[in-house]
Amino acid sequence: HVFSIDGNYDLSPKLTLGGKYGYRLSQVAPRGTTVFADETAHLGIVRLDWHVVHKWDILGEARMLYTEQSDTTETGALLAAYRHIGNNAKIGLGYEWGRVSDNPLNIDYTGAGIFLNLIAKF
């Protein structure tokens, strides 16, 4: 079971603060067994978008995933620059560090390196 909520708040015309909370309740079993145990995880993300100049944005994001049963905390972050293409799209290039995805379903995630992202809006 997964619950996720996120939102954004414009601090000013150039700064937007965003956040996300995700909750995952699942059951896992070691390979080769049928003994399942609960696994509960909490995902927290804080994001800041900065509209630098006309058609250019920079964003930074910090992520944390806490797993209750194993009492472990994983962290991650990303930094990216985006260029607006007209009113309905933007393309970004960035770098990601850490072991935390923005998707609470990803259990074994390792994200590190450069990424390219295309966003369309209608």
Side-chain angles (χ1 to χ4, degrees):
H1 303 281
V2 174
F3 169 79
S4 181
I5 187 168
D6 59 61
N8 293 319
Y9 179 75
D10 289 331
L11 298 172
S12 72
K14 290 194 174 272
L15 287 175
T16 301
L17 180 65
K20 179 175 187 171
Y21 171 75
Y23 173 80
R24 179 186 72 222
L25 175 60
S26 61
Q27 292 186 327
V28 295
R31 288 193 186 273
T33 69
T34 58
V35 179
F36 285 87
D38 286 343
E39 182 180 85
T40 305
H42 301 271
L43 170 68
I45 298 176
V46 176
R47 174 182 172 148
L48 186 64
D49 290 89
W50 177 31
H51 182 64
V52 182
V53 293
H54 184 67
K55 296 189 179 183
W56 285 96
D57 294 339
I58 293 177
L59 80 87
E61 192 171 278
R63 302 172 176 175
M64 186 178 78
L65 180 69
Y66 173 70
T67 307
E68 288 183 13
Q69 285 70 21
S70 62
D71 194 29
T72 58
T73 301
E74 300 285 345
T75 58
L78 66 85
L79 187 62
Y82 283 87
R83 169 91 162 115
H84 291 261
I85 304 168
N87 292 327
N88 297 322
K90 62 182 178 178
I91 189 166
L93 183 66
Y95 193 87
E96 181 179 10
W97 300 264
R99 298 180 44 91
V100 180
S101 169
D102 62 345
N103 181 350
L105 294 175
N106 286 346
I107 295 172
D108 295 326
Y109 179 80
T110 301
I114 296 172
F115 65 87
L116 180 67
N117 193 12
L118 177 64
I119 299 171
K121 56 185 176 179
F122 300 99

